Amino acid sequence: MKVGKATKKYETWLGKCVTLLEDDLKLKHKEMRKAVFPFLRATFYRWAQVWPKECKEVAAAPEVLAVGDLHVENFGTWRDAEGRLVWGINDFDEAWPLPYTSDLVRLATSAHVAIAENHMSLDPKEAADAILEGYKEGLEKGGRPFVLAERQSALRTMVRHRLHDPQQFWQKLDGLTSLKRAIPPSAAKSLARAMPEPNLTERFVHRVAGLGSLGRQRFVVLAEWRGGQIAREAKALAPSACRWAAKGKGAAKILYQEILDRAVRCQDPGVHAGGRWIVRRLAPDCSRVELKELPKEREEIHLLHAMGFETANVHWGSRKARAIRKDLSRRPHGWLQHAAQRMAEVVREDWKQWRAHD
């Protein structure tokens, strides 16, 4: 099945699970044409469909509750219950039971593509090696959250460089047009529970963000609270695209909250997944980190090592570390780099087809 047909089938399936916004879907399709990296970010459904066939030997591995849509821009910052700045994986929309290798190969593939498009400057082999070494270290140490207040000086320096200017952040949200219609009652209820106190003067807006989830409903409530602005967002949840790729096999349960609860992690107290919505606090220090926001002079090997380690933090929740380490010991040298190179080629060919199709 070619990517154009696969996209149509997936969006038809997704439209039966959640309300889709036609204008946002058109924007997503446009963004997918621009380059291979945004195409990869936007098409996890295609990855779920093709990677087990393209990497059969690599896909034969112990299963964990995996991130699914893991890539080098699915990392961000938040404040934990102590107010400390924490860094880690930012989005678990596609969480699903998968071979542990799926997350590693997708992460390494995204680095490979980012390097090819000059978003990163190191060698693809170095990137894959750094991810794998970080992952192995995370398994050996039993996981460890990335609290940026203490040990993580290099990562802290990189991440703090991109913390949004508060004035610009709020100006961008303030510039969004107020919704003329009431938002779905379930979304309104979820957002109300996330506010610090009831009966605030509120304004609801529609926010366009992300790529993988672009097309789903995403509502933001803005309010003034005790001398400053606050914002909460509700994004529609759907079963992982892995269920679509498996032709309906597996439970339709959404696993976002479960993977959060299992992971070795300093939780974001502002994130709650339940029912039809994932609700999170929006703030200048609580958002996804894009590569372009990092300093030009940065320790990319260290960054990718940390991404591998954080992947282990999540996989640790499945209690399969021993089986994974045993499986890793049997794999040939360079397996991750070879698998990432192969998948980068597959994604690139799909992108070329998409541009010709669209």
Side-chain angles (χ1 to χ4, degrees):
M1 187 187 302
K2 291 189 175 182
V3 66
K5 185 176 181 180
T7 300
K8 185 175 181 179
K9 284 183 172 291
Y10 170 69
E11 290 175 356
T12 299
W13 174 83
L14 184 62
K16 296 176 182 178
C17 302
V18 296
T19 300
L20 293 179
L21 306 176
E22 192 62 32
D23 287 345
D24 287 5
L25 273 183
K26 289 179 180 178
L27 175 61
K28 178 178 180 176
H29 295 166
K30 182 179 178 181
E31 292 296 314
M32 286 163 59
R33 296 190 65 195
K34 288 184 175 180
V36 181
F37 189 73
F39 177 86
L40 172 66
R41 281 187 51 199
T43 55
F44 175 69
Y45 58 91
R46 182 61 168 172
W47 177 278
Q49 187 181 46
V50 301
W51 102 271
K53 300 173 184 177
E54 297 292 339
C55 300
K56 290 182 180 179
E57 291 185 3
V58 174
E63 192 175 90
V64 297
L65 182 52
V67 181
D69 187 16
L70 189 59
H71 52 79
V72 293
E73 288 194 342
N74 189 3
F75 293 81
T77 58
W78 63 90
R79 296 282 177 179
D80 71 2
E82 290 292 324
R84 301 176 302 180
L85 189 65
V86 182
W87 172 91
I89 294 171
N90 184 65
D91 195 304
F92 298 92
D93 279 1
E94 302 290 355
W96 194 257
L98 292 168
Y100 76 91
T101 48
S102 177
D103 279 349
L104 290 177
V105 174
R106 185 164 171 84
L107 180 57
T109 300
S110 71
H112 194 291
V113 173
I115 291 165
E117 296 185 349
N118 297 316
H119 302 305
M120 304 184 82
S121 58
L122 71 171
D123 179 80
K125 182 181 182 303
E126 291 179 320
D129 288 347
I131 291 168
L132 190 55
E133 287 305 311
Y135 184 76
K136 288 178 179 178
E137 185 177 339
L139 292 179
E140 291 293 336
K141 292 187 175 180
R144 184 183 64 218
F146 285 86
V147 179
L148 300 185
E150 299 171 18
R151 303 170 182 163
Q152 306 295 333
S153 59
L155 186 58
R156 181 173 66 245
T157 299
M158 284 186 277
V159 169
R160 280 186 171 172
H161 178 85
R162 51 70 59 190
L163 291 182
H164 296 289
D165 176 83
Q167 187 173 359
Q168 291 182 1
F169 177 86
W170 292 113
Q171 283 178 348
K172 185 175 180 180
L173 285 181
D174 286 339
L176 298 176
T177 303
S178 298
L179 291 171
K180 296 180 180 179
R181 296 182 180 180
I183 69 173
S186 57
K189 186 176 180 180
S190 295
L191 286 169
R193 284 199 299 260
M195 298 299 277
E197 62 184 56
N199 303 319
L200 297 176
T201 301
E202 300 170 337
R203 184 168 75 90
F204 292 91
V205 299
H206 168 61
R207 178 170 172 254
V208 177
L211 276 175
S213 61
L214 189 54
R216 303 184 194 185
Q217 290 177 307
R218 188 188 289 259
F219 302 110
V220 175
V221 58
L222 302 171
E224 290 281 336
W225 183 65
R226 303 195 181 189
Q229 286 185 281
I230 60 172
R232 302 291 186 270
E233 177 186 73
K235 180 177 68 174
L237 286 173
S240 172
C242 293
R243 190 167 192 268
W244 168 79
K247 299 180 180 179
K249 296 179 182 178
K253 183 180 178 181
I254 296 170
L255 300 171
Y256 203 117
Q257 191 63 51
E258 184 173 339
I259 198 169
L260 284 177
D261 292 342
R262 285 190 186 187
V264 178
R265 194 173 179 85
C266 287
Q267 297 281 30
D268 180 348
V271 171
H272 303 280
R276 294 179 50 204
W277 306 95
I278 171 74
V279 177
R280 69 173 72 233
R281 166 180 169 263
L282 297 182
D285 55 0
C286 185
S287 59
R288 182 171 57 86
V289 178
E290 296 185 0
L291 293 175
K292 66 183 180 182
E293 297 173 328
L294 296 172
K296 291 183 179 180
E297 297 297 325
R298 60 200 188 207
E299 298 182 37
E300 292 181 338
I301 291 290
H302 185 90
L303 180 63
L304 290 170
H305 184 280
M307 290 178 176
F309 197 113
E310 169 68 354
T311 305
N313 284 343
V314 174
H315 290 183
W316 244 99
S318 297
R319 301 295 186 264
K320 297 285 186 70
R322 184 176 179 180
I324 292 171
R325 287 197 297 265
K326 186 176 180 180
D327 185 78
L328 282 169
S329 69
R330 295 172 176 173
R331 295 201 173 271
H333 179 74
W335 71 268
L336 182 56
Q337 158 62 9
H338 295 315
Q341 183 176 358
R342 173 58 189 150
M343 288 308 300
E345 293 170 356
V346 171
V347 173
R348 195 169 288 110
E349 284 303 311
D350 267 353
W351 174 69
K352 291 177 181 177
Q353 283 186 22
W354 178 257
R355 294 191 74 189
H357 157 82
D358 199 48

